[in-house]
Every structure is written in structure tokens, then in C-alpha cells.
């Protein structure tokens, strides 16, 4: 094989003839469509929720999600004073305080 370079161990050096290399293959992956279902239809995103101060501080430091009294799980990022209070959180809180 003229023009091909072989190394000491008997392997062909592909850089000596790049056009004869193994090439590149593309693996086709079947298209899958992931659907994420929201149980609250986005309504809970329009409210300020009740969460303990300790959990809120911890979330601000770690970025971990919090759980509101109504069960909503999220990572707080917005100013809650700009939203009305979640009616479910308010009802649960009032029942707890009795």
C-alpha cells in the first residue's frame, strides 16, 4: 500500500491519508415527544403562596424548590408582593391558625 504510513506497532496512521480514514457516522435517534402535564393548568403561577421563612431562606441559598401549603412545588424567583395570595394557601393557613 503505497503512500500509507504505518507506526512501529503495525497500525496505520490515518493522518497520513485523511481521505481513507474511517469517517464519521451519524446515529439516527427515533423522535420522541415528551409531554409534561401540569396539574394546576398554570393557575398556581399567578399567586403568592405560603411557605415557611426557613424553607424560603434555604431555597434562596441552595436553589432547591419549596412546597407551599397548597402543595405547589417551585423555586421562588419573583417578588410575591406583586401577586394576589393563593386562596388555597390562605384557607389552609386560616384553618391551621384556627
Amino acid at each position: 500500500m503505497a503512500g500509507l504510513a504505518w507506526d512501529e506497532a503495525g497500525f496505520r496512521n490515518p493522518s497520513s491519508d485523511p481521505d481513507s480514514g474511517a469517517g464519521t457516522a451519524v446515529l439516527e435517534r427515533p423522535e420522541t415527544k415528551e409531554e409534561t402535564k401540569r396539574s394546576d393548568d398554570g393557575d398556581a403561577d399567578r399567586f403568592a403562596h405560603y411557605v415557611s421563612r426557613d424553607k424560603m431562606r434555604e431555597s434562596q441559598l441552595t436553589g432547591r424548590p419549596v412546597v407551599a401549603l397548597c402543595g405547589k412545588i417551585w423555586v421562588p424567583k419573583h417578588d410575591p408582593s406583586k401577586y394576589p395570595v393563593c386562596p388555597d394557601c390562605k384557607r389552609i393557613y386560616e384553618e391551621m391558625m384556627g
Side-chain angles (χ1 to χ4, degrees):
M1 289 189 197
L4 296 180
W6 298 84
D7 67 9
E8 295 170 357
F11 294 100
R12 187 175 63 80
N13 182 351
S15 64
S16 67
D17 187 9
D19 292 333
S20 69
T24 302
V26 176
L27 296 177
E28 294 293 328
R29 224 184 279 182
E31 186 174 327
T32 58
K33 186 176 181 181
E34 290 185 27
E35 292 184 29
T36 55
K37 282 194 166 186
R38 295 176 68 148
S39 61
D40 60 7
D41 296 325
D43 287 343
D45 293 335
R46 300 176 192 162
F47 295 111
H49 296 274
Y50 283 40
V51 177
S52 76
R53 285 188 181 128
D54 293 338
K55 294 293 182 184
M56 188 64 92
R57 272 190 232 114
E58 181 182 330
S59 177
Q60 290 170 341
L61 294 173
T62 64
R64 290 188 184 127
V66 294
V67 180
L69 288 179
C70 68
K72 176 173 172 59
I73 301 170
W74 85 108
V75 177
K77 295 181 181 174
H78 302 287
D79 181 3
S81 67
K82 295 181 180 181
Y83 300 92
V85 174
C86 169
D88 291 332
C89 282
K90 185 176 182 177
R91 179 185 50 78
I92 294 167
Y93 181 79
E94 288 171 353
E95 287 175 5
M96 288 172 45
M97 295 298 134

